[in-house]
Amino acid sequence: MTRNRGITEPAAEAAIDTACRVLRLPAIRDQFADCADRAEREQLTYRGFLAELFMVECDERDRRRAERQLRAAAFPRPKWLKDFDYDANPHIEPAIINTLATCEWVGKGAPLCLIGDSGTVRCSRDSGQATR
């Protein structure tokens, strides 16, 4: 099947929008124009431009997946390591909390138990016990 190469810019944008809707690619549909402008400025190859578009879609899908998983977990309230209150418990070393953020302990199979509100817990990765 041969396509007409004399397509106008507005027709091309409409075709891309329609194709993205049919193929369910909302991030590409939303960010195509910006990516195309950036690719033109940076003189990306066709493959580079296509890779950028696919990465936009993949990143957005990852973000939405994480949001869905957080909602499905139904946590009583959000807690983030960046919000950890070190002043509430001076026995907690910031280096330990920052080490937790790397998630290396998960790969090693090391236990971790955190109990209580942020900043009120002593944690032990070696023994698997947490104490107040």
Side-chain angles (χ1 to χ4, degrees):
M1 171 183 240
T2 337
R3 300 271 182 197
N4 183 359
R5 296 188 186 269
I7 191 168
T8 64
E9 285 295 313
E13 288 182 17
I16 291 166
D17 185 75
T18 301
C20 286
R21 288 177 193 276
V22 169
L23 295 172
R24 295 188 178 108
L25 301 170
I28 290 177
R29 187 183 80 236
D30 293 341
Q31 297 183 33
F32 173 79
D34 292 338
C35 284
D37 293 342
R38 189 173 56 249
E40 191 173 15
R41 276 193 314 275
E42 296 174 8
Q43 298 179 344
L44 290 181
T45 64
Y46 291 122
R47 285 185 179 95
F49 171 60
L50 191 57
E52 288 291 324
L53 281 178
F54 286 150
M55 292 309 298
V56 162
E57 189 67 38
C58 290
D59 291 345
E60 182 63 15
R61 286 182 184 205
D62 287 345
R63 185 191 64 75
R64 288 191 321 260
R65 182 180 307 112
E67 284 179 358
R68 278 193 311 274
Q69 289 171 340
L70 282 173
R71 278 193 309 271
F75 293 122
R77 61 185 177 266
K79 292 185 180 184
W80 303 98
L81 288 178
K82 66 182 173 104
D83 299 331
F84 195 89
D85 184 5
Y86 296 102
D87 295 331
N89 188 339
H91 299 291
I92 299 291
E93 296 177 31
I96 291 175
I97 300 302
N98 292 331
T99 301
L100 295 176
T102 67
C103 294
E104 288 181 27
W105 59 277
V106 175
K108 293 178 181 177
L112 173 69
C113 182
L114 301 173
I115 301 171
D117 289 331
S118 296
T120 62
V121 178
R122 266 197 101 162
C123 61
S124 170
R125 292 179 305 150
D126 298 327
S127 66
Q129 298 175 343
T131 58
R132 289 192 184 267

